[in-house]
Amino acid sequence: MSNTHAPFFPDVDRISYEGPSSDNPLAYQHYAKDQIVLGKRMEDHLRMAVCYWHTYCWDGFDIFGAGTFGRPWHNPQNDRSAADLKMAAAFEFLTKLDLPFYCFHDVDVVEASESPEALSSNLERATENLGAYQEQTGKRLLWGTANLFSHPRYAAGGLTNPDPEVTACAIRQIRDCLNATHRLGGENYVLWGGREGYDTLLNTDLTRELENFGRFLSMVVEHKHKIGFKGKILIEPKPHEPMYHQYDFDTATIYGFLSRFDLLGEVHVNIEPNHSTLSGHSFAHEIATAVSLGMMGSIDINCGNYQNGWDTDQFNLDVRDITLALVELLPSGGLDTGGFNFDAKVRRQSSDLHDLFYGHIGGVDALARALLSAADLIERANLKDNKDKRYAGWEGDLGKTMLSASSSLDSIANQASAQKLDGRHTSGRQEYLENMINRSLV
Ligand code: XUL
Ligand code: CO
């Protein structure tokens, strides 16, 4: 399909690496995609994606005011011509940023669709067009997802709705979008349970909703195998917003849910820093938990605002915070089918088309700097040796005996008493380690 609508960004050339001394705001200072870091190209470590919803769909509206952006590909009806223009803009932007992947919700890539029928057939057409653009540009799909939170029918959830008729519509959307993702060679399929939760327990049968959720998630997994989709099914943890309580609260909660429905190993997580902080965790904690439980999938990179604790989806420029997360991720082999999807938006006052570039360029360079810093830390700071030393006792006689199959509370307590064990604290050297992080920051 030829891109007859472009260019939407005529005065921007392909963004390229110019190095840290460049003062060109439309260049990368740190992201050199072919540079080898810990044995792998930067592009292959980071597998970055631009998201459809914040970048091309959103017109700048918020709950207090109308859109401020006036994008040239929008029109008030969001009719078919707007959907086609948006797609042209999306692939031009992605090509100019020189990033490999994109992500979408079904409703992002189609025109306004009056009925479930219309959505199905519009998605069919959009999938064909996306496939043609992928072919033409070499860009790839990191993941697709069905939007089960915007349409009024989903006010009380999709897979956890009290009304089976609504849930059947949700399942149809998931089936269609998973099929579309498969056809487009997507690397993952995401379920963000935005309205899978409740506003009040007074009208909510929590037991039934969670049981239904488990049953229908098992069907998603069955369908993935039926169609031969090789990517990962991902759940995106978030504790609340829009609902007062969401079932996919955090990675550990999802682990419990998956093990209850025998879905461990079949479903992984899509971790988002802004959601991590909303649940009272750090980004690094969520990554470490996912790695430790074998649940790591992908990352929606962004951050919130320290002042107010909302889901503000800002571009994450906090190199230290990302470095701490990468220190947990990289030793496990890094991202497999996952990537870093910019689930981030420019501020409502940043209404120029160039602001879309500045936002993403900043986000890309922060990831590249964090990757270089994390690699330096892993290579020089011997974090692993430090941990190994701290836990060395568990490899010695006492530790091994205590953990052996034959030991019991009595046997250990009796040994402690017989040997007059009198354990003493050893320094955790937190400040020393934190200084290592600062020294490695690029
Ligand atoms: C919402 C959020 C979504 C999901 C996809 O907070 O992060 O954009 O990533 O539905
Ligand atoms: Co997200």
Side-chain angles (χ1 to χ4, degrees):
M1 174 171 177
S2 76
N3 188 343
T4 49
H5 315 287
F8 286 100
F9 315 98
D11 56 343
V12 180
D13 294 329
R14 188 173 295 220
I15 310 298
S16 56
Y17 174 71
E18 291 188 7
S21 61
S22 167
D23 55 12
N24 177 2
L26 290 170
Y28 295 125
Q29 290 185 313
H30 301 275
Y31 179 59
K33 66 176 183 177
D34 293 320
Q35 187 178 327
I36 304 291
V37 182
L38 298 176
K40 207 152 93 174
R41 292 170 65 249
M42 261 197 193
E43 185 179 59
D44 300 332
H45 268 291
L46 298 173
R47 298 168 53 84
M48 288 180 277
V50 173
C51 83
Y52 234 86
W53 51 101
H54 291 315
T55 306
Y56 317 115
C57 300
W58 187 44
D59 69 355
F61 81 93
D62 70 9
I63 51 169
F64 299 102
T68 52
F69 294 159
R71 302 291 188 218
W73 52 87
H74 286 164
N75 70 29
Q77 298 75 36
N78 188 20
D79 61 17
R80 183 162 283 184
S81 72
D84 288 350
L85 291 178
K86 199 200 287 179
M87 201 176 285
F91 281 86
E92 183 191 341
F93 186 69
L94 194 53
T95 301
K96 287 193 166 163
L97 273 184
D98 201 14
L99 298 181
F101 289 104
Y102 72 104
C103 298
F104 69 85
H105 299 91
D106 48 1
V107 301
D108 299 341
V109 294
V110 299
E111 56 270 46
S113 304
E114 291 281 299
S115 62
E117 269 69 38
L119 181 56
S120 287
S121 67
N122 290 337
L123 183 62
E124 189 76 25
R125 178 180 173 274
T127 305
E128 222 152 88
N129 292 346
L130 287 167
Y133 273 115
Q134 287 187 187
E135 189 110 323
Q136 185 186 309
T137 59
K139 301 302 172 191
R140 292 152 66 197
L141 177 61
L142 186 63
W143 51 260
T145 186
N147 178 323
L148 305 179
F149 46 90
S150 294
H151 194 285
R153 81 164 61 86
Y154 297 126
L159 297 183
T160 63
N161 199 284
D163 180 351
E165 204 168 317
V166 174
T167 298
C169 292
I171 288 173
R172 175 184 188 171
Q173 256 183 266
I174 294 174
R175 193 271 316 264
D176 289 354
C177 195
L178 180 50
N179 285 355
T181 301
H182 179 45
R183 249 170 80 192
L184 291 167
E187 306 261 324
N188 308 274
Y189 181 82
V190 166
L191 295 118
W192 169 56
R195 298 205 191 264
E196 315 299 6
Y198 59 82
D199 287 338
T200 172
L201 285 170
L202 294 174
N203 64 12
T204 303
D205 182 346
L206 182 144
T207 306
R208 184 191 293 272
E209 291 199 1
L210 277 166
E211 274 168 7
N212 287 359
F213 199 6
R215 176 76 184 102
F216 297 129
L217 185 60
S218 304
M219 289 185 198
V220 174
V221 170
E222 269 165 39
H223 189 75
K224 161 197 152 145
H225 291 301
K226 180 170 148 195
I227 62 177
F229 178 63
K230 295 281 174 275
K232 284 194 180 125
I233 302 290
L234 307 179
I235 289 194
E236 184 170 325
K238 186 176 181 183
H240 46 76
E241 200 199 343
M243 303 304 258
Y244 276 56
H245 179 94
Q246 279 156 215
Y247 297 132
D248 304 328
F249 193 94
D250 61 2
T251 299
T253 307
I254 292 175
Y255 181 83
F257 174 76
L258 295 179
S259 71
R260 175 177 164 197
F261 292 99
D262 203 18
L263 290 169
L264 286 175
E266 289 285 4
V267 179
H268 297 74
V269 284
N270 186 39
I271 289 174
E272 182 164 323
N274 205 160
H275 298 178
S276 310
T277 50
L278 284 177
S279 62
H281 300 307
S282 65
F283 178 29
H285 169 89
E286 284 291 87
I287 297 286
T289 303
V291 167
S292 158
L293 297 173
M295 292 170 75
M296 190 56 217
S298 196
I299 296 170
D300 268 8
I301 188 70
N302 63 15
C303 65
N305 181 305
Y306 294 118
Q307 214 179 294
N308 55 26
W310 304 334
D311 189 22
T312 52
D313 286 345
Q314 291 171 235
F315 284 94
N316 193 331
L317 304 184
D318 187 340
V319 177
R320 184 175 183 278
D321 203 47
I322 305 171
T323 300
L324 290 170
L326 284 174
V327 162
E328 301 303 321
L329 178 68
L330 294 176
S332 73
L335 295 166
D336 167 27
T337 61
F340 278 94
N341 167 45
F342 290 104
D343 192 353
K345 59 190 180 204
V346 295
R347 299 302 88 191
R348 185 166 177 264
Q349 295 182 54
S350 303
S351 48
D352 291 346
L353 288 175
H354 275 201
D355 294 319
L356 286 177
F357 283 95
Y358 300 143
H360 285 86
I361 289 169
V364 169
D365 267 341
L367 283 177
R369 287 175 72 181
L371 175 63
L372 293 167
S373 302
D376 186 65
L377 260 165
I378 288 165
E379 279 176 337
R380 287 198 309 137
N382 286 332
L383 294 175
K384 186 174 177 313
D385 283 1
N386 190 69
K387 277 194 200 176
D388 287 350
K389 271 190 206 132
R390 193 159 189 236
Y391 291 88
W394 294 102
E395 302 301 325
D397 284 346
L398 177 61
K400 283 190 167 154
T401 311
M402 287 169 70
L403 290 170
S404 70
S406 60
S407 63
S408 66
L409 216 61
D410 266 339
S411 73
I412 296 172
N414 291 340
Q415 186 179 3
S417 150
Q419 295 182 354
K420 297 194 173 12
L421 297 181
D422 184 19
R424 298 288 165 96
H425 175 69
T426 323
S427 174
R429 302 198 303 162
Q430 181 168 339
E431 293 73 16
Y432 165 84
L433 292 164
E434 286 172 346
N435 291 351
M436 302 288 259
I437 307 276
N438 265 10
R439 278 176 209 168
S440 286
L441 283 185
V442 172

